[in-house]
Amino acid sequence: MSDGEQRAPLAHRVPDIGALELLLAVARHGSLGRAARELGISQPAASGRLRSMERQLGVALVDRSPRGSRLTPAGVLVTDWARRIVEAAEAFDAGAQALRSHRDSRLRIAASMTIAEYLLPRWLVALRARRPEVAVSLYAGNSAAVAERLLAGEADLGFVEGLRVPGGLDGTEVARDRLLVVVAPEHPWTRRRTPVSATELAGTPLVLREEGSGTRQVLDSALARYGGLAAPLLELASTTAVKASAVSGAGPAVLSELAVTEELGSRRLVAVPVADVGLERVLRAVWRRSQKPVGAGRDLLALAAAARRAPGHK
């Protein structure tokens, strides 16, 4: 064949694995009927498959007679080739199974701080009960860092806060949350008789999470029409640090309701009503586009969805 000629794709020129397995079974049993039974197909289906393979190759492979089925000289040669192809296919299948087993034996999660601290622990306990063989690793960072890890192939499944699914990712809602303005009990805002206005909140230096966090994204967007956020009083890289600063009386902070339930109950923090602005947000599971999680990742998504449907879930 000259360099300029194009050959038909190999799949059109070589019989499929099922046909080759049938030929090997005929060689072992000397009977098309017994070969069909071994492979779990009907004899007419086996005959049709064998005829199709003979037409494809352009040679007769089996002589059929009342006494049984005997390979032709060409059939003997093709059977030898078929054996090597089937053995290679079996090795390929075993290797692919090993890859799947390795994939399914670990789950790399990247999650925003709020989700990592207040939602994921109970989901992971449930996953452990369902899939005890799976090794789980967890990276906790802001939502932007979670997206970066997913896009770099360093995580299988992510959980983010914020306004939308980050670019290059697909996702689904797993929970809803709202942000609260909280202060220490001695702060003047606890004695107000009217809510803090959105304009006043925007103009007040706050204790905030860093840029790139889901909390900061939602707050920036909500207050953009009121002049945007004032320069932060403090800008901290974790929910725990922001909360500790607010408890110490450093100034007002904006935190997830999930993160301050205990402090509100013990009156170490007080929630301050805010007028004119909604601070609800969606919490999402995310993954690389068109690569929806399988195995343990799919199970974790199902457990998160079940938790959201449970009675009493916000």
Side-chain angles (χ1 to χ4, degrees):
M1 178 177 292
S2 68
D3 291 341
E5 293 181 70
Q6 289 190 341
R7 303 178 73 185
L10 190 62
H12 296 326
R13 295 181 286 116
V14 176
D16 62 40
I17 296 296
L20 298 179
E21 287 180 319
L22 174 61
L23 183 63
L24 292 175
V26 171
R28 283 194 300 274
H29 296 293
S31 165
L32 185 61
R34 286 198 294 271
R37 285 194 294 274
E38 177 187 320
L39 298 179
I41 61 177
S42 68
Q43 185 163 340
S47 294
R49 186 176 295 180
L50 191 57
R51 284 194 299 270
S52 177
M53 180 166 50
E54 289 175 327
R55 284 195 301 271
Q56 184 179 20
L57 296 176
V59 294
L61 301 173
V62 176
D63 283 330
R64 305 164 184 80
S65 73
R67 295 188 299 276
S69 300
R70 182 173 58 84
L71 296 178
T72 64
V76 172
L77 186 59
V78 171
T79 298
D80 185 50
W81 298 338
R83 187 172 292 107
R84 282 178 276 172
I85 293 171
V86 170
E87 287 172 354
E90 289 171 345
F92 180 95
D93 181 57
Q97 178 59 44
L99 288 174
R100 288 192 296 271
S101 297
H102 176 69
R103 177 204 66 195
D104 293 342
S105 69
R106 64 171 187 166
L107 179 61
R108 301 171 299 165
I109 301 170
S112 66
M113 295 290 190
T114 299
I115 298 173
E117 292 181 28
Y118 301 103
L119 291 176
L120 260 175
R122 65 175 179 265
W123 297 345
L124 292 178
V125 168
L127 180 66
R128 178 70 176 172
R130 180 180 292 190
R131 300 284 293 267
E133 77 285 359
V134 175
V136 176
S137 63
L138 172 61
Y139 164 83
N142 64 37
S143 293
V146 169
E148 288 172 5
R149 285 201 163 231
L150 284 166
L151 293 170
E154 296 171 357
D156 307 305
L157 180 62
F159 293 90
V160 297
E161 312 152 27
L163 300 172
R164 59 189 64 85
V165 176
L169 303 178
D170 288 331
T172 187
E173 181 177 328
V174 293
R176 285 190 174 252
D177 182 28
R178 64 174 174 150
L179 301 180
L180 299 179
V181 177
V182 294
V183 295
E186 62 274 13
H187 192 279
W189 281 3
T190 63
R191 297 187 290 276
R192 293 178 63 114
R193 295 189 176 182
T194 58
V196 173
S197 71
T199 301
E200 186 177 1
L201 181 64
T204 301
L206 303 171
V207 181
L208 295 173
R209 284 290 306 279
E210 79 286 6
E211 292 185 8
S213 72
T215 298
R216 185 68 173 269
Q217 291 173 20
V218 171
L219 191 59
D220 280 336
S221 176
L223 296 180
R225 60 185 292 192
Y226 300 100
L229 283 168
L233 178 66
L234 291 171
E235 191 174 60
L236 303 170
S238 75
T239 298
T240 301
V242 173
K243 186 163 55 175
S245 295
V247 169
S248 73
V254 180
L255 287 164
S256 162
E257 184 176 18
L258 293 168
V260 294
T261 300
E262 182 180 337
E263 288 75 16
L264 293 176
S266 64
R267 294 286 296 176
R268 286 185 291 156
L269 287 174
V270 177
V272 178
V274 179
D276 309 321
V277 64
L279 295 176
E280 286 196 349
R281 61 180 180 170
V282 173
L283 308 182
R284 295 180 176 89
V286 290
W287 52 87
R288 277 169 289 176
R289 187 159 291 160
S290 302
Q291 295 184 23
K292 192 165 185 177
V294 297
R298 181 184 57 224
D299 288 351
L300 184 58
L301 284 180
L303 290 167
R308 186 181 180 197
R309 294 192 298 268
H313 182 83
K314 292 185 180 181

